[in-house]
Amino acid sequence: MLLPAWEMRLYGLLAVGSYLYAFYEAHRVSRKYEAVMDREFGLEPGTLFRGLKKDPMDFEWSYWIEWGRERILWLLAGHLLVSQVSRLLVEKYKPWCLMVYGMAACWLLLGIKGFAVILLHATISFAVAQFQLSVLTWLCSLTLLSTLRVPAVEEAKRKWYDTENEYYLLLFTLSVRCLFCTSFSLEYCWHGPAQKSSHSFLWMLAYVFYYPTFHNGPLMNFDEFSKQMRSQEAFSLKTNLRIFMVGIMRIFFWWCLAELMIHLMYIHALYSSAPPLEAASYWALGGLALAQVLFFYVKYLVLYGVPALLLQMDGLKPPALPCCVSLMHSFTKMWRTFDVGLHRFLVRYIYVPMGGSQSSLLGTLFSTALTFAFVSYWHGGQSYLWYWGALNWLGVIAEGGITKILSISPIQDLIERSFSPSIRRRLHAVLASVSTSMLILSNLIFLGGNHVGKIYWNRIFVEGWPWATLTVLGFLYCYSHVGMAWEQTYGVSAE
C-alpha cells in the first residue's frame, strides 16, 4: 500500500460521509419541493414503497419498465425456453431456432411493417457489404441512421402505430440494429473469401434478430457473437438453473435500489425545473448530481443485466456490466468500463481503423474526435449531446496527453527522483479530482441537458469560487483515492 492505512481510512470515511450527507440534503430538497413537483410533473403514488411518491420523469426507466412488464419480459421468457430446449435437444441448430424466434417476436411486437423495415435495413447493409469497401459500408450505415431523423419518414412510421410508445420502440430498436448491421458488414469486408461462409446472410439475420439484445443492447460485435454461438459447450440444466436464480436475485435487488432512489429523491423532476436547482444548497446540488449519475448506473445494471443473464443462459459471454461510477476517476476509464460493448465497437470500427494511438498527434486527435462525433450523432445528435461529446473528447485527449508527457523518460526519471511513491499517488489524486469534476459535469449535461450543466457550472465554478469549488475538488480528491485503491486491489478491467 502506497499510503498509510490511517490516511486511506480517513479518505474512505470522508467519501462515505459526504455521500450520505449529500443524499440526505437531496432528500430534504425533494421533500421541500414535493408539492411543486407534484403539481408540475405529476408524481406517482408509490407502489413498492408505500407512503412515498415516485419521480416518473426519467423517461428511459419508466419506458422500459412499462414495456418489460407488459410484453418484453414475456417474450424474453419465451426466448429462454426456446434456447434451453434447443441446447438440450438440437444444439447444432440453436442459432437458427433463436433466429426464427427473434423474427417472430419482432413481428409480434413491432408489427409486419416494423419487422419489414428492420429486415430491409439488414438486407441493404448486406448488399452494400458485397463491395467489400469499409467506406461504402459506413456511408450506408450513416445514411440508414439518418433516415430515422427525417421528419417525413418519422411521420409515416408514426401512422403505423396507435401510440407514441410503440413508435419509439421501433425507433430505439432500429438505432441499436444499425450498430449490429454495421458490425456485421465491416467484419464481412475485412474477412477473406475463405471465411465468407461464416458471414452469410443467414448468420447476419441470426445476429440482427437475436432477441435478448434486440431492443436496447448491450452491443456485442459480430465476430464475438458468431464464434461463441458456433461453439457447442457442455450443457448442464442444473448449472444454468443456478446461474438463472442468482442472476434474477441480483437484478431484483438492483431494481429495488433504483426504485428506492426515485422514491426518496426527485432527481429528474428537480432537473426539469430550474428554480429549485438555482436555490438549492451546495450540498443538495452535490447530492442530486451524485444521485443522478448513480441512478443511471443502477438503471443500466437492470437494463443490461436482464439480457446479459440470457446471454449466459445461451452459453455466450456477455460484455461486462457497467462498473460503479463512484469509483471512476478519469474519462478514459469511464468509457472503457461503463458500456463495454459500445466501447469495443467504437475502438474496433472507428478509432483503430482511423489510426488511433498509433498515428501522429493530429491523427490521434482526429480519430478520437470522429469517435465521439459518431457516438453523439448516434445518441440523437441534439445540441446538448454535441457539448457532451466535445467535453468527453477534451477530457480523453487531456488525460492521454498528460500521460504521454509524464511517461517521457527524462520527465519520468525526474519525477521518480523528486517524489516518493506516496507523494506521486497524492498528486495523481489531485489531477484525478479535476478530471472527475469535469466528468461529472459532462454526465450531467448528457442526463439533464445544457441548462443543468450551465446551472452547475455557474453555481460551483463561477459563483462558488473559490470555497465551493475547492470543497468539491477536496471531496473528489478523497473519492479518487478510494477509486484508485479499489482498482489496485480488485483489478478493475480496462477492456
Side-chain angles (χ1 to χ4, degrees):
M1 185 177 287
L2 296 176
L3 298 178
W6 68 266
E7 187 175 347
M8 286 306 303
R9 283 196 290 269
L10 177 62
Y11 293 142
L13 184 64
L14 287 171
V16 173
S18 62
Y19 253 101
L20 293 176
Y21 186 70
F23 286 158
Y24 168 70
E25 287 293 323
H27 172 69
R28 281 187 62 196
V29 80
S30 297
R31 296 280 80 78
K32 179 181 178 181
Y33 290 100
E34 182 175 338
V36 177
M37 296 296 103
D38 198 11
R39 285 195 304 270
E40 196 168 345
F41 303 111
L43 300 177
E44 296 177 355
T47 50
L48 188 64
F49 302 98
R50 299 286 181 183
L52 294 173
K53 290 187 176 180
K54 173 182 171 180
D55 179 359
M57 292 300 292
D58 186 88
F59 171 77
E60 191 176 33
W61 179 252
S62 301
Y63 183 84
W64 289 117
I65 292 299
E66 182 183 343
W67 269 108
R69 186 170 55 242
E70 289 182 0
R71 299 178 79 174
I72 290 179
L73 280 179
W74 298 105
L75 290 171
L76 288 172
H79 170 94
L80 180 62
L81 180 62
V82 171
S83 166
Q84 299 309 293
V85 170
S86 62
R87 288 191 74 185
L88 193 62
L89 303 177
V90 285
E91 176 78 17
K92 185 179 177 180
Y93 300 102
K94 180 182 71 173
W96 319 124
C97 295
L98 296 181
M99 178 192 74
V100 171
Y101 180 84
M103 295 173 86
C106 171
W107 192 320
L108 180 67
L109 208 55
L110 297 175
I112 187 170
K113 291 180 180 177
F115 169 77
V117 169
I118 294 171
L119 186 60
L120 180 63
H121 276 224
T123 304
I124 293 171
S125 297
F126 185 78
V128 172
Q130 303 309 300
F131 292 98
Q132 295 186 262
L133 295 171
S134 298
V135 173
L136 203 58
T137 290
W138 267 116
L139 284 174
C140 173
S141 297
L142 291 172
T143 301
L144 291 173
L145 186 61
S146 67
T147 62
L148 305 183
R149 290 158 197 147
V150 176
V153 177
E154 286 182 305
E155 202 56 41
K157 289 175 183 172
R158 275 189 168 92
K159 292 177 182 176
W160 298 348
Y161 301 105
D162 297 327
T163 65
E164 196 78 353
N165 274 1
E166 291 175 296
Y167 162 71
Y168 278 125
L169 185 63
L170 174 64
L171 181 65
F172 297 150
T173 304
L174 280 170
S175 297
V176 176
R177 291 309 92 200
C178 180
L179 298 185
F180 279 69
C181 289
T182 303
S183 175
F184 176 89
S185 299
L186 288 172
E187 295 294 347
Y188 186 95
C189 292
W190 296 344
H191 285 77
Q195 295 173 300
K196 287 294 183 276
S197 60
S198 61
H199 292 71
S200 65
F201 186 60
L202 206 58
W203 267 106
M204 183 182 197
L205 294 180
Y207 175 57
V208 169
F209 285 97
Y210 181 68
Y211 196 69
T213 61
F214 190 66
H215 298 293
N216 194 43
L219 185 57
M220 191 175 187
N221 294 340
F222 175 73
D223 267 21
E224 298 171 28
F225 174 84
S226 174
K227 183 181 177 182
Q228 293 179 36
M229 191 63 85
R230 288 170 188 275
S231 65
Q232 298 182 15
E233 297 179 355
F235 175 73
S236 169
L237 194 60
K238 185 179 178 181
T239 302
N240 262 21
L241 185 61
R242 186 175 69 249
I243 292 171
F244 182 74
M245 294 306 296
V246 171
I248 286 293
M249 286 189 287
R250 283 178 179 168
I251 292 165
F252 180 70
F253 171 76
W254 295 328
W255 175 74
C256 289
L257 183 57
E259 286 288 320
L260 179 63
M261 290 181 74
I262 55 177
H263 279 78
L264 292 177
M265 295 174 281
Y266 305 142
I267 317 158
H268 309 96
L270 287 166
Y271 273 7
S272 301
S273 181
L277 279 184
E278 291 169 344
S281 68
Y282 288 118
W283 275 106
L285 271 182
L288 290 169
L290 293 172
Q292 174 78 304
V293 293
L294 276 173
F295 178 80
F296 186 69
Y297 159 66
V298 176
K299 173 171 69 177
Y300 268 87
L301 286 179
V302 176
L303 297 183
Y304 279 0
V306 173
L309 176 59
L310 291 176
L311 280 159
Q312 283 184 283
M313 298 293 288
D314 291 348
L316 308 180
K317 183 182 178 183
L321 291 177
C323 279
C324 181
V325 291
S326 299
L327 302 174
M328 294 297 126
H329 51 272
S330 77
F331 283 90
T332 308
K333 284 186 171 61
M334 183 72 174
W335 276 96
R336 286 178 177 173
T337 59
F338 191 83
D339 192 333
V340 175
L342 180 61
H343 175 260
R344 287 174 180 167
F345 177 93
L346 296 172
V347 169
R348 181 168 176 80
Y349 301 121
I350 304 177
Y351 183 68
V352 171
M354 294 308 299
S357 59
Q358 303 304 313
S359 61
S360 63
L361 175 60
L362 284 177
T364 302
L365 291 172
F366 177 71
S367 56
T368 311
L370 203 61
T371 302
F372 283 111
F374 172 77
V375 81
S376 299
Y377 181 68
W378 178 75
H379 273 95
Q382 292 90 343
S383 63
Y384 75 93
L385 291 170
W386 293 111
Y387 284 113
W388 166 72
L391 272 175
N392 277 272
W393 175 70
L394 289 170
V396 169
I397 289 298
E399 289 174 359
I402 291 171
T403 301
K404 282 190 176 181
I405 291 170
L406 296 180
S407 63
I408 296 171
S409 292
I411 296 176
Q412 190 174 19
D413 292 342
L414 178 63
I415 291 172
E416 288 178 357
R417 286 197 306 271
S418 304
F419 303 109
S420 66
S422 57
I423 295 295
R424 293 202 297 272
R425 171 58 70 88
R426 294 184 186 105
L427 291 173
H428 184 184
V430 169
L431 292 174
S433 68
V434 177
S435 183
T436 305
S437 68
M438 293 298 103
L439 177 62
I440 293 173
L441 181 65
S442 75
N443 285 334
L444 291 176
I445 292 172
F446 177 70
L447 298 170
N450 288 335
H451 70 285
V452 171
K454 188 176 179 180
I455 289 171
Y456 271 85
W457 176 262
N458 287 334
R459 292 288 312 275
I460 304 296
F461 297 100
V462 179
E463 298 169 11
W465 176 263
W467 302 117
T469 309
L470 294 177
T471 302
V472 167
L473 292 175
F475 282 115
L476 293 178
Y477 172 79
C478 298
Y479 300 164
S480 298
H481 272 295
V482 173
M484 286 187 284
W486 182 278
E487 184 178 297
Q488 187 177 19
T489 304
Y490 297 102
V492 176
S493 173
E495 288 186 21

